[in-house]
């Protein structure tokens, strides 16, 4: 979009957004008018203090606009009011300001950084004495700066434009200021009174500052090297930077905006030469009108575009550049405040400019982590949420805060959607693979992702929330990106996070793949998005351009525990949460004259424990593909090609050493991975997709029903209570129970259970007097629980070894001896139905072996016969009766219930010898009598 000369005022919606951000939510309501076939829209706008409802409009947009206008009216804001100054006034103010900057008064008063620059130039000899570079005035004076912005808001991205305005304003002060276009600086016509000049403090200290030099190579990538700026006392630091760049003095420099603060809080800037125009282009003057078209303009420059420097500062830089953190402060006249910019810090800055980099940093895994392409759930997401990241990114790139627009559509029950879809499919084909229609019910991308092959057949969730996001440039409010995903989400927050992630992914592509034409809208997920994109000058960084990853080369000699597999078999299903520890080293096998020398290596990244969700792209593809073939406890080692050098250097501890290794031949990255654990949310997810209500809920409901029926019971123990789903239900319904106890070995699960119970305590209508949570293994007996009335053990035994399951049964029935024992466990035979679901598949259809069990943490899953055998034997030898039942599916037809349940009833009470032992640890307790709790 052409940089607007006219100042645009904000639209009512933008004003609302600026004031309230995400606290303003728009909801569109469809209004059916029976007489006409078309429908109309009404918009509800909810603000923190009040809400407004618009009139009825044909277009959703108009309804939203009307709602925003109504809200502004209520707030007493009139968007037409513009208290900004006019362009003419801005020019006048700039002229005044320049005059003041060159007054005696300004020089001798205050600590304005610009004053320090002036003083430094007065220490120069000869014709440059007192000549202040235009770039300095444009960059360091806030009043000049805001004046330039009034004239043209896009000066933010264009320091040369700002300099030209300063020069134009100064030209009006012919009696006072000398403007010399060929040296790009301003000087006072009459010398300063000698008294003032003599009083100038000349003894600045000498300092050495580390900086980074980015050399534009004639072909290919820029070369980045560390340099030292040696600033001796009494010399103007800009002149020293200029000399390093081969320029005569500081007036030939342009200075970028600040783009990052170093650890000590100093601002980094990029210094480069004022671009020279191509000789062929003699007609246009250096600071005259700039070509409107940016492509055309850049070809006017003699020096090549410096991609690395441009991406670091978000402005266009041509030719060689220096990145440094130094400058005069408000605190002192002569002191140059400074900080080192090392190679590593430079690469870290570059890396942190891209969405991918922001994510990598947040996870402290520059090599291993990558920005996920899908947001499935808040609980599985690691790192800052997409929406936060998008805000960070927009701030860095000088874009306005993203504007999210949420809409809802008339709610059509999910079941209806599915039914119509099933009908459709059934009538279309009689492919037996289509049994499991429900698998498509999820609204998450990941679900759809698996089915990309049947894309056209997917039923799109037709109800729920849909969210779009618009990104505008800050200065001009130009539309940069308009992204409207077509997917609906059941939760509003999911819709927002996914929209933010889509925008991030899209911006990320600009950084990671420069070859693609940014003007061509590109879709990541076919048919899912409506993109609209306007090219933005700033976002065209090249770095970090991880070279396309190739399939990892397995180093067979080093593969310790991995089975060698000809074809990749993913055994950990997508959607699982995987925990690994890993290290990555740069490795060089130097090969001199046919002899392989000792392998050189340098550790660049390691993590003791990092958790990620499989199947959403949150780890680099190599790592993920290897990890998902491993089993818990295994180690693997593999080697991949090098990613972009900058990424490695941003990560390396010893930058110099790593750099020298990278310059050698045959460099690769060696990964060592240890799979620590796998949590399969898949079981829960599949169960909640296949079964309504979800299987876990059905189990709890089944148990609660039995508990209610056994009216005389007063104590209950839930063995392996996990996060307390059963206990939660018992808090909500009145039963005869007075004491309920949960036992588990997972501290995390117990903590969640405690939190849940705590929050539910006073809400329920229960008669409970005591609630207690124990940390302990249910393989052990604790005499405090002897003689309990009811024991439950839902979906726990399969988490033990089989012999332990036998031991548990024995311990419970011999020592605890409850009147009633309810045990549930998956029915292995039912898996064949669940496994037809694509949720379990990897995309590879020919995959011969897949996860046998529903959940990676399961040590076994029994058939009905196996469970029957276990339970019947136990019951018989302990004088209990047992009955079998289940939830999910039907017990009458094959393969039986999805979850099988055994209900044991004590036949007679036989007093057993009481052993006193208390291995369980109380970790949470509540009693009604005192009403207190302890942790
Ligand atoms: N009953 C819960 C949780 C099932 S998950 C529910 O239905 O939602 C299985 C639980 O068993 C986990 O929380 C795990 O920590 C626990 N567990 C496994 N082995 C255990 C043992 N030996 N002692 C106590 N708890 C155990
Ligand atoms: Mg389980």
């Amino acid at each position: 979009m052409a940089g607007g000369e006219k100042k645009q005022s904000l639209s009512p919606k933008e004003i609302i957004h600026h004031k309230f951000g995400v606290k303003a939510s728009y909801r569109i309501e469809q209004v059916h008018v029976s007489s006409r076939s078309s429908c109309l829209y009404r918009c509800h706008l909810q603000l923190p203090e009040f809400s407004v409802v618009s009139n009825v409009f044909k277009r959703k947009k108009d309804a939203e606009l009307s709602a925003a206008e109504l809200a502004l009216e209520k707030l007493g804001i009139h968007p037409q009011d513009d208290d900004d100054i006019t362009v003419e006034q801005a020019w006048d103010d700039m002229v005044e300001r320049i005059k003041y900057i060159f007054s005696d008064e300004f020089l001798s008063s205050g600590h304005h950084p610009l004053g320090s620059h002036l003083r430094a130039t007065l220490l120069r000899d000869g014709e440059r004495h007192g000549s202040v570079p235009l770039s300095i005035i444009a960059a360091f004076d806030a009043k000049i700066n805001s004046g330039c912005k009034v004239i043209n808001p896009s000066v933010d991205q264009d320091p040369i434009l700002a300099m030209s305005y300063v020069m134009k304003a100064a030209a009006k002060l012919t009696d006072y200021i000398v403007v010399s276009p060929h040296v790009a600086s301003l000087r006072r016509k009459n010398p300063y009174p000698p008294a003032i000049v003599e009083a100038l403090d000349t003894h600045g200290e000498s300092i050495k500052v580390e900086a980074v030099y980015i050399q534009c190579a004639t072909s290919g990538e820029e070369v980045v090297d560390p340099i030292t700026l040696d600033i001796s006392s009494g010399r103007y630091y800009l002149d020293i930077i200029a000399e390093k760049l081969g320029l005569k003095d500081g007036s030939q420099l342009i200075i970028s905006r600040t783009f990052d603060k170093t650890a000590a809080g100093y601002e980094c800037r990029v210094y480069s030469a004022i671009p020279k125009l191509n000789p062929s282009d003699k007609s246009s003057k250096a600071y005259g009108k700039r070509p409107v078209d940016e492509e055309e303009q850049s070809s006017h420059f003699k020096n090549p575009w410096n991609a690395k420097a441009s991406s670091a500062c978000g402005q266009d830089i041509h030719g060689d550049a220096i990145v440094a953190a130094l400058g005069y402060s408000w605190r002192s006249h002569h002191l140059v405040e400074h900080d080192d910019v090392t190679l590593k810090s430079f690469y870290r800055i570059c890396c942190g400019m891209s969405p991918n980099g922001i994510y990598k940093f947040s996870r402290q895994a520059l090599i291993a982590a990558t920005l996920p392409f899908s947001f499935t759930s808040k609980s599985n997401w690691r790192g800052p949420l997409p929406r936060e990241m998008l805000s960070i990114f927009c701030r860095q790139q000088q874009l306005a805060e993203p504007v999210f627009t949420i809409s809802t559509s008339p709610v059509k029950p999910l079941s209806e959607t599915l039914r119509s879809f099933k009908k459709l499919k059934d009538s279309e084909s009689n492919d037996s693979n289509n049994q499991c229609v429900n698998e498509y019910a999820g609204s998450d991308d990941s679900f759809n992702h698996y089915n990309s092959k049947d894309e056209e057949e997917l039923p799109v969730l037709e109800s729920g929330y849909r969210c779009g996001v618009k990104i505008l440039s800050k200065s001009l409010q130009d539309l940069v990106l308009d992204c409207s995903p077509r997917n609906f989400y059941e939760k509003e927050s999911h819709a927002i996070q996914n929209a933010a992630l889509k925008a991030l992914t899209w911006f990320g592509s600009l950084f990671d793949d420069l070859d693609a034409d940014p003007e061509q809208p590109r879709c990541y997920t076919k048919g899912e998005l409506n993109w609209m994109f306007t090219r933005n000058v700033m976002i065209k960084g090249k770095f970090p351009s991880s070279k396309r990853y190739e399939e990892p080369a397995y180093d067979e000699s080093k593969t310790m525990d991995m089975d060698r597999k000809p074809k990749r078999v993913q055994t950990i299903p997508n959607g699982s949460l995987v925990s690994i520890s890993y290290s990555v080293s740069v490795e060089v096998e130097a090969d001199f004259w046919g002899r392989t020398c000792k392998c050189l290596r340098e550790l660049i990244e390691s993590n003791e424990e990092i958790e990620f969700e499989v199947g959403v792209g949150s780890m680099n593809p190599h790592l993920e593909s290897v990890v998902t073939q491993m089993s818990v406890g295994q180690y693997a080692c593999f080697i991949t090609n090098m990613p972009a050098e900058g990424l490695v250097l941003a990560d390396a501890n010893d930058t110099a050493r790593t750099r020298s290794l990278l310059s050698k031949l045959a460099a690769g990255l060696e990964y060592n991975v240890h799979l620590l654990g796998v949590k399969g949310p898949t079981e829960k997810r599949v169960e909640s997709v296949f079964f309504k209500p979800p299987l876990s809920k059905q189990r709890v409901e089944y148990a609660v029903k039995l508990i209610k029926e056994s009216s005389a019971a007063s104590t209950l123990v839930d063995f392996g209570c996990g996060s307390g789903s059963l206990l939660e239900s018992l808090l909500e319904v009145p039963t005869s129970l007075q004491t309920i106890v949960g036992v588990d070995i997972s501290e995390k699960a117990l903590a969640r259970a405690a939190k849940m119970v705590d929050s539910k305590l006073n809400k329920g209508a229960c008669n409970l007097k005591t609630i207690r949570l124990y940390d302990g293994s249910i393989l052990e007996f604790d005499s405090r629980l002897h003689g309990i009335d009811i024991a439950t053990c839902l979906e726990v035994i399969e988490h033990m070894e089989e012999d332990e399951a036998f031991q548990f049964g024995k311990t419970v029935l011999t020592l605890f001896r409850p009147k009633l024992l309810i045990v549930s466990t998956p029915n292995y035979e039912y898996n064949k139905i669940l496994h037809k679901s694509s949720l379990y598949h990897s995309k590879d259809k020919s995959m011969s072996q897949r996860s046998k069990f529903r959940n990676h943490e399961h040590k076994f899953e029994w058939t009905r016969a196996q469970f029957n055998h276990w339970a019947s034997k136990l019951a018989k030898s302990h004088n209990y009766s047992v009955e079998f039942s289940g939830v999910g599916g039907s017990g009458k037809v094959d393969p039986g219930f999805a979850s099988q349940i055994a209900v044991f009833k004590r036949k007679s009470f036989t007093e057993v010898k009481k052993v006193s032992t208390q291995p369980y640890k109380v970790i949470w307790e509540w009693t009604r009598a005192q009403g207190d709790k302890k942790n």
Side-chain angles (χ1 to χ4, degrees):
M1 249 177 206
E5 294 294 325
K6 64 172 198 291
K7 178 124 174 76
Q8 299 182 348
S9 53
L10 296 178
S11 75
K13 276 190 77 178
E14 285 161 348
I15 296 171
I16 294 286
H17 177 72
H18 279 281
K19 279 190 94 65
F20 300 103
V22 293
K23 290 193 202 107
S25 76
Y26 295 84
R27 187 166 60 79
I28 294 285
E29 180 198 352
Q30 264 193 20
V31 185
H32 294 277
V33 186
S34 53
S35 59
R36 272 179 284 161
S37 57
S38 69
C39 75
L40 299 171
Y41 301 98
R42 178 188 282 146
C43 176
H44 301 250
L45 170 57
Q46 178 72 51
L47 298 175
E49 300 283 311
F50 62 87
S51 67
V52 289
V53 184
S54 76
N55 270 326
V56 175
F57 291 87
K58 261 193 186 149
R59 298 193 316 173
K60 290 182 191 169
K61 252 191 191 160
D62 296 331
E64 284 177 3
L65 177 66
S66 156
E69 281 169 353
L70 287 172
L72 288 182
E73 212 171 283
K74 267 199 155 177
L75 290 163
I77 297 171
H78 306 286
Q80 256 56 35
D81 289 359
D82 205 339
D83 50 9
D84 284 332
I85 57 167
T86 63
V87 172
E88 288 83 67
Q89 266 172 295
W91 279 114
D92 291 346
D93 291 354
M94 281 218 311
V95 173
E96 274 308 300
R97 180 69 183 169
I98 293 169
K99 192 171 174 188
Y100 174 69
I101 288 169
F102 286 94
S103 66
D104 297 352
E105 194 189 340
F106 184 77
L107 185 64
S108 43
S109 77
H111 284 182
H112 194 292
L114 204 52
S116 305
H117 284 277
L118 246 175
R119 280 182 284 276
T121 63
L122 288 168
L123 297 175
R124 286 161 160 174
D125 298 327
E127 59 167 4
R128 288 180 293 168
H129 176 83
S131 276
V132 183
L134 280 174
S135 59
I136 287 295
I137 300 171
F140 289 104
D141 191 74
K143 291 202 174 106
I144 298 272
N145 214 285
S146 58
C148 291
K149 267 189 209 161
V150 173
I151 297 164
N152 184 347
S154 61
V155 290
D156 260 355
Q157 286 116 61
D158 192 348
I160 305 176
L161 196 59
M163 286 158 69
S164 74
Y165 292 155
V166 174
M167 198 163 69
K168 205 170 159 193
K172 294 184 180 158
L173 296 160
T174 38
D175 296 342
Y176 198 68
I177 305 284
V178 179
V179 183
S180 35
H182 48 284
V183 292
S185 59
L186 301 184
R187 180 166 58 80
R188 202 164 104 150
K189 207 161 195 173
N190 304 314
Y192 285 92
I196 296 185
V197 179
E198 274 153 32
L200 294 178
D201 193 349
T202 54
H203 43 275
E205 29 159 17
S206 295
I207 49 170
K208 284 201 165 102
V209 188
E210 298 296 324
V212 162
Y213 192 101
I214 308 166
Q215 192 190 351
C216 266
T218 36
S219 61
E221 273 190 67
E222 298 83 15
V223 181
V224 185
D225 278 305
I227 54 160
T228 304
L229 300 174
D230 204 337
I231 298 169
S232 53
S233 78
R235 288 211 59 200
Y236 186 22
Y237 79 84
L238 274 198
D239 290 342
I240 291 164
I241 294 176
E243 279 162 24
K244 285 270 180 197
L245 286 165
L247 306 170
K248 218 171 87 207
D249 63 65
S251 64
Q252 289 178 296
L253 288 176
I254 50 170
I255 303 175
S256 80
R257 67 185 180 103
T258 61
F259 53 88
D260 197 75
K261 290 212 160 80
T262 65
Y266 297 113
E267 292 174 335
C268 290
R269 292 176 189 264
V270 174
Y271 300 82
S272 58
I274 295 175
K276 290 198 181 71
L277 298 180
N278 268 333
S280 62
D281 215 33
K282 281 178 196 119
S283 58
S284 38
K285 277 196 176 168
Y287 311 114
K289 267 201 198 118
R290 314 193 71 217
V292 180
D293 179 70
E294 183 228 334
E295 202 64 47
E296 188 192 322
Q297 169 213 309
S298 62
S299 68
H300 287 247
F301 295 122
K302 207 172 164 185
N303 290 323
W305 187 63
N306 187 328
K308 283 204 172 105
S310 303
S311 84
C313 68
Q315 289 174 335
D316 278 328
I317 306 287
H318 293 267
D320 293 359
I322 285 176
V323 183
L326 76 175
Y328 294 115
S329 73
W330 288 82
R331 270 160 293 198
S332 146
H333 276 249
H334 52 82
L335 196 72
V336 177
E337 294 211 327
H338 57 92
D339 201 359
D340 292 337
V341 178
T342 59
L343 267 191
K344 177 169 171 148
S345 57
F346 169 73
Y347 279 120
R348 289 176 86 83
I349 290 166
C350 293
C351 193
M353 295 296 276
S354 76
N356 200 3
I358 295 170
Y359 185 75
K360 284 168 175 289
F361 275 113
S362 77
R363 304 229 53 201
Q364 298 184 347
L366 295 197
I367 299 285
T370 56
L371 181 70
F373 52 74
S374 168
F375 177 94
T376 58
S377 71
K378 202 173 168 184
S379 57
N380 280 9
W381 183 267
R382 298 291 177 274
L385 293 170
R387 180 190 195 157
E388 278 171 59
M389 273 194 287
L390 187 59
S391 283
I392 295 172
F393 176 78
C394 287
R395 249 172 275 144
Q396 282 175 356
Q397 300 290 339
Q398 295 191 301
L399 299 167
E401 274 293 303
V403 184
F404 293 92
T405 332
I406 293 161
S407 56
T408 51
S409 84
V411 176
K412 192 174 173 186
L414 188 66
S415 52
E416 203 177 296
T417 312
L418 290 169
R419 224 173 292 133
S420 56
F421 175 61
K422 186 169 166 46
K423 270 190 216 141
L424 191 83
K425 284 207 95 175
D426 288 350
S427 63
E428 269 179 0
S429 72
N430 30 25
D431 183 350
S432 58
N433 279 346
N434 289 339
Q435 284 182 16
C436 303
V437 174
N438 289 3
E439 73 197 48
Y440 297 111
S443 57
D444 282 347
D445 281 2
S446 55
F447 285 71
N448 299 342
H449 173 70
Y450 298 100
N451 295 307
S452 49
K453 53 185 187 290
D454 328 301
E455 206 157 25
E456 62 291 352
E457 297 173 62
L458 272 182
V460 178
L461 194 66
E462 283 176 18
S463 66
Y465 296 91
R466 175 140 75 170
C467 180
V469 57
K470 279 197 179 71
I471 311 240
L472 306 169
S473 73
K474 204 178 212 160
S475 43
L476 288 169
Q477 300 285 323
D478 271 342
L479 189 62
V480 173
L481 177 68
D482 183 348
C483 158
S484 351
R486 294 205 202 101
N487 277 5
F488 282 102
Y489 294 88
E490 272 176 276
K491 280 190 195 155
E492 187 176 335
S493 61
H494 278 203
I496 297 175
Q497 299 298 355
N498 274 293
L501 191 54
K502 290 273 150 36
L504 281 168
T505 309
W506 198 88
F507 281 123
S509 72
L510 294 186
F511 283 82
D512 292 341
D513 186 3
L514 250 198
D515 300 338
D517 179 5
E519 274 184 316
Q520 283 300 308
R522 285 189 295 149
C523 296
Y524 271 78
T525 334
K526 206 171 79 197
E528 194 194 329
L529 291 166
N530 291 316
W531 286 112
M532 207 203 93
F533 175 70
T534 322
R535 179 152 61 155
N536 186 301
V537 195
M538 302 166 302
I539 302 150
K540 54 172 176 183
K542 183 173 184 179
F543 181 83
S545 60
S546 17
K547 282 175 196 154
R548 193 142 302 164
Y549 280 107
E550 282 164 29
E551 267 297 302
Y554 289 93
D555 184 336
E556 294 187 357
S557 61
K558 289 208 179 85
T559 306
M560 288 176 248
D561 204 2
M562 291 267 301
D563 292 344
R564 274 185 237 153
K565 282 167 189 154
K567 196 141 193 258
R568 144 176 160 66
V569 177
Q570 179 175 341
T571 54
I572 298 176
N574 290 352
S576 307
L577 277 179
V578 165
S579 169
I580 57 168
S581 83
Y582 72 89
S583 65
V584 183
S585 313
V586 170
E587 204 196 42
V588 180
E589 255 175 82
D591 181 43
F592 294 116
W593 302 288
R595 266 180 301 161
T596 307
C597 297
K598 222 172 88 193
C599 165
L600 302 168
R601 78 174 65 190
E602 176 81 13
L603 176 73
I604 55 167
E605 182 174 309
S606 66
N607 253 304
E608 292 277 315
E609 182 171 2
I610 185 164
E611 207 175 35
F612 66 94
E613 180 180 348
V614 172
V616 296
S618 61
M619 282 282 144
N620 83 42
H622 293 324
L623 199 55
E624 180 154 332
S625 98
V626 170
V627 166
T628 52
Q629 300 173 56
M630 295 168 67
S631 51
V632 175
Q634 271 189 326
Y635 290 87
C637 172
F638 61 94
I639 292 173
T640 67
N641 294 338
M642 292 299 300
E645 183 187 74
L647 193 60
V648 176
L649 293 179
D651 214 15
N653 299 313
D654 186 339
T655 322
R657 198 180 126 81
T658 306
R659 205 165 182 234
S660 88
L661 282 187
L662 290 182
S663 65
K664 298 200 168 65
L665 276 173
L669 279 189
E670 186 190 277
Y671 291 67
N672 279 284
V673 204
H674 180 196
L675 180 54
L676 301 171
V678 179
K679 275 184 230 158
T682 326
E683 180 185 14
K684 212 171 167 189
R685 210 198 226 175
V686 171
E687 289 186 353
S688 66
V689 167
F690 266 84
F691 304 100
K692 304 276 177 207
L695 209 51
S696 52
K697 193 153 182 217
Q698 289 191 36
R699 275 191 293 265
V700 168
E701 278 169 1
Y702 186 92
V704 169
K705 189 170 151 266
L706 285 185
I707 294 161
K708 271 174 141 175
E709 282 166 10
S710 54
S711 50
S714 87
T715 51
L716 174 141
V717 182
D718 188 20
F719 288 117
C721 64
S723 311
S725 50
L726 177 64
L727 302 180
E728 181 175 7
S729 290
L730 294 175
L731 288 175
E732 285 163 356
V733 292
T735 61
S736 61
L737 294 174
Q738 304 209 336
T739 303
I740 58 174
V741 175
V743 186
D744 206 290
I745 36 165
S746 159
E747 277 176 37
K748 272 191 193 161
L750 286 167
R752 279 196 294 267
K755 201 170 156 196
M756 180 281 303
V757 176
D758 199 59
S759 69
K760 288 274 160 80
L761 261 179
N762 296 314
K763 294 189 185 151
C766 63
N767 307 316
L768 293 173
K769 295 212 168 79
T770 309
I771 307 169
R772 202 172 286 137
L773 295 175
Y774 283 119
D775 183 354
S777 169
I778 57 171
L779 297 175
E780 290 185 288
F781 173 64
D782 188 296
S783 49
R784 284 169 290 187
L785 298 180
H786 172 76
I788 38 170
D789 295 319
I790 303 178
T792 49
C793 185
L794 305 182
E795 306 291 295
V796 179
I797 56 170
E798 71 277 7
H799 291 252
M800 315 169 168
E801 298 299 338
E802 277 185 87
D803 57 337
E804 290 174 332
F806 281 98
Q807 188 197 327
F808 164 72
K810 202 174 147 197
T811 308
V812 176
L813 299 189
T814 322
L815 300 170
F816 291 104
R817 289 202 66 75
K819 285 184 200 145
L820 178 70
L821 168 68
I822 307 167
V823 179
S824 86
T825 194
N827 170 14
Y828 181 72
E829 294 161 88
Y830 201 87
N831 290 3
K832 65 179 178 224
I833 291 185
L834 297 176
H835 280 164
K836 285 220 177 88
S837 154
S838 61
L839 294 170
Y840 271 110
H841 293 194
S842 101
K843 272 178 276 175
D844 187 358
K845 249 190 167 174
S846 66
M847 197 174 75
S848 55
Q849 186 199 331
R850 52 179 70 125
S851 174
K852 262 166 63 181
F853 300 142
R854 294 182 201 180
N855 180 324
H856 243 262
E857 288 184 350
H858 290 176
K859 302 276 166 44
F860 64 83
E861 281 176 7
W862 281 337
T863 59
R864 282 169 292 176
Q866 285 171 306
F867 186 53
N868 220 297
H869 170 77
W870 173 81
S872 306
K873 207 174 147 203
L874 266 179
K876 199 168 169 220
S877 51
H878 295 92
N879 204 15
Y880 273 75
S881 71
V882 61
E883 278 172 35
F884 296 94
S885 162
V887 290
S890 158
K892 294 194 187 84
V893 291
D894 265 355
F897 290 110
S899 237
Q900 40 187 348
I901 300 177
V903 180
F904 298 83
K905 287 186 178 141
R906 196 172 70 196
K907 282 200 211 153
S908 64
F909 185 76
T910 39
E911 188 61 63
V912 285
K913 201 167 73 192
K914 219 179 159 185
V915 204
S916 183
T917 165
Q918 305 195 340
Y920 297 174
K921 206 173 106 205
V922 181
I923 64 147
W924 192 90
E925 186 172 43
W926 172 87
T927 51
R928 189 175 290 278
Q930 299 135 21
D932 67 345
K933 345 158 189 176
K934 79 176 191 223
N935 295 315

